[in-house]
Amino acid sequence: MAELKLSESRDLTRIERVGAHSHIRGLGLDSSLEPRAVSDGMVGQTAARKAAGVILQMIKDGKIAGRAVLLAGQPGTGKTAIAMGMAKSLGLETPFAMIAASEIFSLEMSKTEALTQAFRKAIGVRIKEETEVIEGEVVEVQIDRPAVAGAAAKTGKLTLKSTEMETVYDLGAKMIEALGKEKVSSGDVIAIDKASGKITKLGRSFSRSRDFDAMGPQVKFVQCPDGELQKRKEVVHCVTLHEIDVINSRTQGFLALFTGDTGEIRAEVREQIDTKVAEWREEGKAEIVPGVLFIDEVHMLDIECFSFLNRALENEMAPILVVATNRGITTIRGTNYKSPHGIPIDLLDRLLIISTQPYTEDEIRKILDIRCQEEDVDMSEGAKCLLTKIGVETSLRYAIHLITAAALACQKRKGKTVELDDINRVYNLFLDVKRSTQYLMEYQSQYMFNETGEADEDETNAMVS
């Protein structure tokens, strides 16, 4: 008899792909906003993390809006990691929008429209509404099916009870279908929204916890609701201004939210929405939640975008703007003028500047330990020491890239732990920037379109040294 093979089932709720910052869980601060040495995937940069934590606390308290923060530092010093840590620490309630500066240069929409949409993605609206809910424990579900199919509609009765009362409700065809979909049985605690007829299963009653039913580990036991069955409940919805814009900008606008094809949204639509939201705020129906807009590689914006940011930050519904750059004194895009970080002086004056410092050898070692754990790579002590040395002499990013490559080399020789030989092998296979530049200098005459002059030679010498 052939063996019955069961297909292997995997839980796909978590995305298992390892990203550059997938090990970041937060800013790694304690309750008094003091940075821990290694925490939440963050290592070092204590001053920068503490400054980011102070900004974060002010955002949570709703104390500031329309402020801007600049994360400035050399490449590979953890600027994006700090921004990701801020996003994780904020939680789901506060909107966090993230764009790269070059994303706004598109043929489909103007630069200012792209920036406006990004700003409005970072502003949340918490809308409160009262709904009537029937909440109780199901005593009995009785459904009468007609003897002949299609002869008459199904009818039924639902008995619900709370700690104080018990009521029998007559069910129509729609409610019977909804109860069947949710697999509601006696002993379940359910909530029915009176307006929409939506049924939510809250759990199973504690009084049925000793029943001899087969139950999975995910079954939640709850108390039987007290008081009356029919209650008024306040429901809070959190949406961003951009989502409201898209839904109201066209017929079936909510579909555009899923396709991403939002297009340009007219100014009149936004004005009407702002007026409506202002009315809701006065009536106490809604409140504004200023979020965070993170623009990476901000030096890629041009002078028009910078002047737009200046104006947008003065708006009363502006989010907190966090920008990052790795440039020194460089030309402002769209002009011939030079400025620190490639940002005009008037905008720089509005920014709170947080600088990041290069990592020490000890910090590089700790980061490599975290990345080995994240990428599920078992590495020997000697290999880690060599990789740390490579990270100090070349760059941290290059050392991190070698982790998975060395793991594959180890796998090829059917080893379990990455050793020194595996690191040496991939180090010789993949060049870092310094070795690649040196190679170019040696063989530059054999490359096409070689126009290296004396000035360029000086630059390449500086890169190698």
Side-chain angles (χ1 to χ4, degrees):
M1 186 181 166
E3 277 185 30
L4 180 68
K5 283 190 179 179
L6 290 172
S7 62
E8 187 189 344
S9 66
R10 293 180 65 198
D11 182 17
L12 294 175
T13 50
R14 189 173 74 87
I15 296 172
E16 290 178 1
R17 187 164 180 175
V18 176
H21 297 103
S22 55
H23 62 285
I24 304 293
R25 311 271 183 268
L27 281 172
L29 305 172
D30 60 19
S31 54
S32 58
L33 298 183
E34 285 298 323
R36 301 187 192 97
V38 181
S39 179
D40 290 338
M42 297 292 275
V43 176
Q45 303 298 353
T46 50
R49 276 159 55 201
K50 188 173 182 179
V54 171
I55 297 288
L56 199 70
Q57 196 56 47
M58 288 196 280
I59 295 165
K60 283 180 180 173
D61 295 346
K63 294 270 171 66
I64 61 167
R67 301 289 176 86
V69 179
L70 169 66
L71 294 167
Q74 299 165 20
T77 52
K79 296 179 295 298
T80 310
I82 288 172
M84 297 291 281
M86 287 175 79
K88 294 275 167 72
S89 303
L90 278 171
L92 300 172
E93 286 282 293
T94 312
F96 186 94
M98 190 172 180
I99 61 163
S102 47
E103 279 179 44
I104 68 156
F105 297 99
S106 160
L107 293 173
E108 288 178 15
M109 62 174 86
S110 66
K111 293 178 281 191
T112 49
E113 173 64 23
L115 277 172
T116 306
Q117 287 194 13
F119 260 77
R120 289 175 81 85
K121 276 178 192 169
I123 302 164
V125 185
R126 205 176 275 137
I127 302 163
K128 299 170 193 165
E129 60 174 357
E130 278 198 345
T131 54
E132 288 206 347
V133 178
I134 298 167
E135 202 174 88
E137 182 189 326
V138 179
V139 179
E140 188 186 10
V141 183
Q142 196 178 347
I143 296 166
D144 303 323
R145 289 178 174 82
V148 184
K154 288 182 197 171
T155 55
K157 284 182 167 59
L158 171 70
T159 312
L160 284 179
K161 72 164 185 180
S162 69
T163 51
E164 291 177 17
M165 59 189 290
E166 188 172 309
T167 311
V168 179
Y169 294 95
D170 287 326
L171 299 173
K174 256 190 168 181
M175 285 303 285
I176 290 169
E177 194 183 320
L179 286 166
K181 246 185 204 171
E182 287 292 324
K183 297 185 172 67
V184 173
S185 60
S186 59
D188 288 339
V189 177
I190 62 168
I192 305 168
D193 187 346
K194 271 191 89 176
S196 61
K198 186 173 179 272
I199 296 171
T200 313
K201 215 171 180 182
L202 302 175
R204 197 136 176 86
S205 174
F206 269 118
S207 58
R208 300 295 186 109
S209 62
R210 296 195 179 278
D211 284 8
F212 296 103
D213 288 351
M215 280 176 230
Q218 68 274 20
V219 174
K220 194 166 98 181
F221 287 101
V222 291
Q223 292 285 3
C224 177
D226 54 354
E228 292 193 12
L229 281 167
Q230 198 162 311
K231 297 170 186 152
R232 288 186 75 80
K233 273 202 168 180
E234 192 177 75
V235 183
V236 179
H237 306 283
C238 289
V239 289
T240 65
L241 280 178
H242 176 67
E243 287 166 354
I244 304 172
D245 290 346
V246 173
I247 289 165
N248 288 285
S249 64
R250 58 174 94 175
T251 51
Q252 291 190 325
F254 61 93
L255 291 175
L257 276 176
F258 298 104
T259 58
D261 179 27
T262 53
E264 294 224 3
I265 296 164
R266 295 194 316 278
E268 305 89 77
V269 173
R270 288 203 174 107
E271 278 170 25
Q272 286 171 359
I273 288 162
D274 288 349
T275 311
K276 194 73 187 164
V277 170
E279 277 177 31
W280 288 344
R281 279 173 73 188
E282 282 172 22
E283 291 167 15
K285 281 185 186 174
E287 58 180 279
I288 297 290
V289 185
V292 177
L293 170 61
F294 176 59
I295 304 177
D296 210 353
E297 308 291 338
V298 75
H299 52 264
M300 292 302 292
L301 295 179
D302 62 12
I303 193 72
E304 293 162 27
C305 299
F306 286 128
S307 58
F308 174 85
L309 287 180
N310 259 329
R311 176 72 193 86
L313 284 171
E314 289 170 357
N315 193 344
E316 61 173 21
M317 286 208 296
I320 283 81
L321 179 68
V322 179
V323 296
T325 180
N326 55 21
R327 296 293 162 97
I329 293 167
T330 185
T331 310
I332 302 166
R333 193 171 172 177
T335 71
N336 296 322
Y337 300 109
K338 289 199 169 187
S339 175
H341 313 297
I343 301 169
I345 298 292
D346 57 340
L347 181 60
L348 266 178
D349 200 30
R350 289 174 187 267
L351 301 173
L352 289 167
I353 301 171
I354 300 173
S355 66
T356 54
Q357 307 301 322
Y359 288 110
T360 63
E361 190 172 338
D362 189 38
E363 287 168 353
I364 287 174
R365 171 61 193 262
K366 284 172 184 169
I367 292 166
L368 290 172
D369 282 344
I370 291 167
R371 287 303 301 179
C372 285
Q373 202 176 337
E374 180 70 16
E375 294 178 29
D376 209 9
V377 173
D378 195 11
M379 196 177 283
S380 71
E381 194 63 31
K384 279 183 185 174
C385 289
L386 177 60
L387 206 56
T388 306
K389 196 179 175 193
I390 291 169
V392 172
E393 288 177 5
T394 58
S395 73
L396 174 62
R397 282 177 180 160
Y398 176 69
I400 288 170
H401 287 320
L402 293 185
I403 294 172
T404 306
L408 291 169
C410 171
Q411 206 175 313
K412 197 178 177 190
R413 65 172 177 82
K414 294 183 172 61
K416 290 275 192 296
T417 307
V418 174
E419 300 291 346
L420 280 165
D421 293 344
D422 301 315
I423 302 286
N424 281 326
R425 190 175 174 197
V426 292
Y427 181 73
N428 292 323
L429 280 174
F430 303 106
L431 300 182
D432 58 89
V433 177
K434 283 183 185 174
R435 284 186 295 156
S436 181
T437 310
Q438 212 162 11
Y439 182 83
L440 277 176
M441 284 172 69
E442 284 176 30
Y443 299 100
Q444 60 188 349
S445 56
Q446 294 172 28
Y447 281 82
M448 285 182 70
F449 308 118
N450 172 47
E451 294 177 8
T452 310
E454 285 179 20
D456 293 345
E457 276 183 30
D458 291 341
E459 282 177 27
T460 47
N461 282 329
M463 284 179 77
V464 172
S465 62

